Amino acid sequence: IDVSPDLISKITDSVLEEVREWQSRPLEPVWPVIFLDAIVCKVRDAGTVKNKAAHLAVGVGVDGKKEVLGIWVEHTEGAKFWLRVMNDLKARGIEDVLIVVCDGLTGLPAAIEAVWPDAVVQTCIVHLTRASLRWVNYKDRKRVAAQLRLIYGAPTEQAARDALDAWTDSEIGRQYPAIKRQWEAAWEQVIPFFAFPPEVRKVIYTTNMIESINYQLRKITKTRGHFPTDEALIKLLYLGCREMGRTNRAGRGGRSNYNWKIALNQFDVMFPGRLDNA
């Protein structure tokens, strides 16, 4: 059977009402961790194909399950836009977040503080490491990545500081001075990581948490070339999130209940009383 792109679009438009309900659904009042991230997709706009950022807010609930809280499409990733996103989440019921993990976008920590003043802002270690490796020749990447791992894998803040100083004084570190500048600039949002025990670090270190979601969503978008509209992009991303939710409910994926319970008790000690209303 031959079908036109217009027919496919009309059929899939039936999911738009479901998307609208999902985007406005009420949310739990307290979340231990929320990740803010974006994936870039190509969308046709005013006759030309442009890169647009699909912004994702991914929450980790008190039960330890990760959930995509919403998807918003914008030309660029900016602190003002993220502020609107967070105000949207607050209007849908989120009153308190213990930790917000994000990239090093200028102005974003202040925007988070304006919405959830008691939240700890943590720079995403994956984003910071990836940004550092952009400066590095391909032949040196494994070596540099191993050195950076000594910093964020350090047992304490002081040990991490010592590892950063050792890196910047090393031969390979002197070849890439921009990496030192990046880590120095982000250091105030890196160091909260070291106040947490290993069980909590595993939750806020994003390799397995949000990167797994991004990988699945990139996999379903990269084969499309470009999308005709913002709505078409959001439809596909929503369907991908819905399918991942079904997979997790079927028992394939999610977090180890034992490890999460350890982390949850650590959260309760470190943020006394704030999980009581969850």
Side-chain angles (χ1 to χ4, degrees), residues 73-170:
V73 175
E74 182 72 359
H75 290 282
T76 57
E77 185 179 12
K80 288 184 178 179
F81 182 78
W82 274 122
L83 181 61
R84 295 205 304 272
V85 167
M86 288 183 287
N87 280 326
D88 180 20
L89 294 173
K90 188 172 184 178
R92 289 164 57 196
I94 299 181
E95 299 171 2
D96 190 17
V97 183
L98 304 187
I99 304 170
V100 180
V101 183
C102 56
D103 64 10
L105 189 66
T106 301
L108 188 49
I112 293 168
E113 185 178 351
V115 180
W116 299 303
D118 295 325
V120 172
V121 180
Q122 170 66 48
T123 288
C124 171
I125 302 297
V126 170
H127 280 87
L128 184 57
T129 303
R130 189 179 294 149
S132 297
L133 292 177
R134 290 190 188 124
W135 300 92
V136 180
N137 291 328
Y138 182 78
K139 66 181 179 63
D140 292 330
R141 283 197 166 196
K142 285 186 178 180
R143 183 182 172 193
V144 171
Q147 292 290 104
L148 295 177
R149 195 175 298 115
L150 296 176
I151 301 172
Y152 63 78
T156 64
E157 178 187 337
Q158 185 57 54
R161 180 75 248 187
D162 292 343
L164 178 59
D165 291 339
W167 148 259
T168 53
D169 291 336
S170 67

Side-chain angles (χ1 to χ4, degrees), residues 24 26 34 50 55 63 88 93-94 104 107 112 119 182 192 201 236 253:
S24 60
I34 287 181
K50 301 177 180 177
H55 299 71
D63 59 0
D88 180 20
I94 299 181
I112 293 168
Q182 283 185 317
R201 290 192 196 187
L236 187 66

Side-chain angles (χ1 to χ4, degrees), residues 38-54:
I39 59 175
V40 177
C41 302
K42 294 186 181 298
V43 181
R44 183 169 290 279
D45 186 358
T48 61
V49 176
K50 301 177 180 177
N51 285 333
K52 287 193 175 184

